[in-house]
Amino acid sequence: MIILPFIITVPEALTGLRDIIKSGNNIPDLILLDLNMPIMDGWQFLDEFVKIENSKKTTLYIVSSSIDPADSEKAKQYEQITDFIVKPITKDALTKIVNTINTK
């Protein structure tokens, strides 16, 4: 698994993901999604992401500073979401996520 530490805008991410998934190359194993982002929030990203046909399952976690129970409940409405993690994410939580991906 390759982990690349970089930050891109949501529109760039969606365009890039569409292109990657269509090509079938380097489809991400994991997406850590923050809900509070400029331009397009995490929910808007999810609404667009679920429209992309993907032959490979990408594990998706919401990692957010939100403690609003409505956000946690809303996340359960998306079958693509594996879990909702409240920031800050701990080393143990991140290790668990990576281990889960590695066992697939």
Side-chain angles (χ1 to χ4, degrees):
M1 173 191 318
I2 299 172
I3 299 175
L4 301 174
F6 57 91
I7 298 172
I8 58 176
T9 67
V10 174
E12 290 172 331
L14 281 170
T15 300
L17 273 174
R18 280 190 194 103
D19 294 345
I20 289 168
I21 290 170
K22 284 180 185 176
S23 75
N25 297 319
N26 299 316
I27 298 172
D29 296 311
L30 172 66
I31 295 175
L32 300 176
L33 179 64
D34 193 346
L35 295 179
N36 301 314
M37 300 182 293
I39 303 170
M40 176 185 272
D41 69 24
W43 300 121
Q44 292 167 314
F45 174 90
L46 275 171
D47 290 338
E48 293 301 315
F49 179 77
V50 299
K51 295 176 188 175
I52 302 171
E53 291 187 30
N54 187 356
S55 60
K56 175 184 171 187
K57 182 177 185 323
T58 298
T59 303
L60 204 150
Y61 284 81
I62 291 178
V63 181
S64 179
S65 59
S66 173
I67 57 171
D68 185 345
D71 284 333
S72 181
E73 286 302 311
K74 186 172 183 177
K76 293 175 184 175
Q77 304 304 310
Y78 291 85
E79 65 182 54
Q80 294 82 0
I81 305 266
T82 301
D83 202 358
F84 186 102
I85 300 172
V86 176
K87 289 181 187 178
I89 189 166
T90 64
K91 181 179 176 183
D92 289 340
L94 192 55
T95 300
K96 182 180 174 185
I97 290 168
V98 171
N99 288 339
T100 300
I101 303 255
N102 286 335
T103 60
K104 291 184 178 183

